[in-house]
Amino acid sequence: MPTAGPRYLVTGGAGYVGSHTVLALREAGADVTVVDNLSTGHRAALPPDVPLVVADVEDTATLSQLVADGGFSAILHFAALSLVGESMRQPTHYLRRNLLATLALIDVAIAAGIRKFVLSSTANIFSGESSALIEEYAPVDPGSPYGESKAMAERALHWADRIHGLRSACLRYFNAAGADPAGRIGEDHRPETHLIPAAIDAVLGRRPPLCLFGTDYPTSDGTCIRDYVHVSDIARAHLAALDLLDHRSVALNIGTGRGASVREVLAAIGEVAGHTVPVIEAARRPGDPASLVADGRRLVQLTGWTPSHSQLTSVIETAFAWRKANPHGYPG
Ligand code: UDP
């Protein structure tokens, strides 16, 4: 049912971070319309009364028509190819699709007089070669074509602001993980390549042992270090960023400042499951930087956002609960 709140167009809203953000927006009283081609998203990840337009973001005719009534106050752009490893095998595909989709959407926003744009960006715009916490103005040096495609999208938004006054928030996600604490939605990629859900499936005996990619990184235990942030905390950061856009464009890292190694994550999953995660040690996965941990203080300072579910145990418990309750993921 439409609400009296602000109206947002959410691309990729049926995906993992997108669907958790749709829930947060709705709980804040917003009126949300989702555009998703359902290539990786799920209709069942959306509340039944959220309008879903099944289309590609690059389908400018459909999108222009959708926003033509002028009622949308912002676009939140989640729809993207988002796998680092896959991008190392298909670099031009990633660069082309992610950049062209963002450019098309910028044109749609400007033509319709929409003044605010939120981009799902990534920590992969940074090299991850140092173990230092990554602050917003660390040099942009993407670790993969996926990261490069997001860095290019950020630059396109910079020019859209300078030339057309389209305000943007580029939100650099570190490692989104976990599931809605109320168990309504969760993470369902097919195939699943992300560490936490893949390891949970391995410990539940639903897939072969987990391949641990790389044990010779220059880190404390030789495995990669990441900043795992609960997806519902990331969702709330979008609401905070939308408020900032009343005043200025921003680029913000969304992280906790605490890293966990792959081995630490596997140990924590083993504890929650009551069994050791079966593992096969394997070679490094191309494109994986050694360490990506955010200095997330700027987001906290500017908005008062704080992560409330991002302790590793909460992340894993919520992810575990959803996958256990939904052994085949979403229906369909
Ligand atoms: N990883 C792993 N085995 C897997 C999946 C991931 O060892 O089956 C490692 C991966 O190399 C990286 C970390 O887990 O160091 C997080 O990977 P994920 O794909 O979850 O997120 P990314 O950091 O690529 O966004």
Side-chain angles (χ1 to χ4, degrees):
M1 198 204 315
T3 66
R7 202 161 154 228
Y8 298 125
L9 186 70
V10 180
T11 76
Y16 174 46
V17 184
S19 61
H20 285 79
T21 306
V22 167
L23 270 192
L25 291 168
R26 292 269 302 200
E27 282 169 4
D31 179 355
V32 176
T33 298
V34 168
V35 176
D36 198 304
N37 65 8
L38 298 183
S39 59
T40 58
H42 309 271
R43 180 66 182 92
L46 292 171
D49 60 339
V50 166
L52 167 66
V53 177
V54 180
D56 281 327
V57 171
E58 288 170 65
D59 179 355
T60 310
T62 299
L63 267 82
S64 299
Q65 204 179 8
L66 191 62
V67 300
D69 66 8
F72 288 96
S73 52
I75 294 177
L76 292 90
H77 178 36
F78 296 89
L81 303 172
S82 63
L83 300 176
V84 168
E86 188 177 65
S87 82
M88 295 296 282
R89 296 188 297 275
Q90 305 178 42
T92 53
H93 181 56
Y94 262 68
L95 292 166
R96 183 182 305 113
R97 289 301 307 272
N98 284 351
L99 182 60
L100 291 186
T102 308
L103 294 177
L105 212 48
I106 289 172
D107 283 343
V108 165
I110 291 167
I114 296 171
R115 308 304 300 269
K116 299 181 184 180
F117 195 107
V118 181
L119 174 74
S120 294
S121 189
T122 174
N124 203 261
I125 66 168
F126 303 113
S127 73
E129 275 162 12
S130 146
S131 59
L133 298 186
I134 299 169
E135 48 94 55
E136 278 73 9
Y137 298 107
V140 171
D141 180 11
S144 69
Y146 165 62
E148 187 77 61
S149 73
K150 293 292 184 171
M152 287 159 60
E154 289 199 8
R155 292 305 297 164
L157 284 165
H158 164 82
W159 289 108
D161 185 1
R162 282 222 9 212
I163 296 169
H164 298 285
L166 176 65
R167 291 218 179 104
S168 58
C170 297
L171 302 183
R172 286 87 172 253
Y173 307 157
F174 281 63
N175 283 59
D180 171 42
R184 292 166 292 183
I185 52 175
E187 182 166 14
D188 181 0
H189 299 108
R190 301 181 194 183
E192 187 53 76
T193 64
H194 292 97
L195 176 64
I196 291 178
I200 290 172
D201 282 354
V203 84
L204 291 173
R206 293 179 184 158
R207 65 186 277 164
L210 183 95
C211 280
L212 197 176
F213 297 134
T215 55
D216 59 347
Y217 284 95
T219 60
S220 49
D221 65 15
T223 65
C224 289
I225 294 184
R226 296 287 183 273
D227 189 344
Y228 295 90
V229 186
H230 195 284
V231 64
S232 300
D233 287 336
I234 294 179
R236 276 190 304 106
H238 290 74
L239 276 73
L242 281 166
D243 287 342
L244 284 179
L245 292 181
D246 287 332
H247 311 288
R248 53 194 275 216
S249 290
V250 283
L252 294 167
N253 297 349
I254 306 180
T256 68
R258 285 188 320 269
S261 72
V262 176
R263 286 199 201 283
E264 286 168 343
V265 170
L266 296 177
I269 293 173
E271 282 204 8
V272 169
H275 301 280
T276 306
V277 179
V279 164
I280 293 174
E281 295 190 3
R284 294 183 181 194
R285 185 173 67 179
D288 278 343
S291 173
L292 290 171
V293 182
D295 178 341
R297 285 177 299 178
R298 194 169 148 77
L299 174 63
V300 176
Q301 281 158 6
L302 288 180
T303 69
W305 173 90
T306 50
S308 52
H309 297 290
S310 294
Q311 303 83 355
L312 193 54
T313 316
S314 312
V315 165
I316 289 169
E317 280 173 356
T318 55
F320 194 83
W322 195 79
R323 283 192 91 81
K324 225 176 158 188
N326 299 273
H328 305 295
Y330 290 109

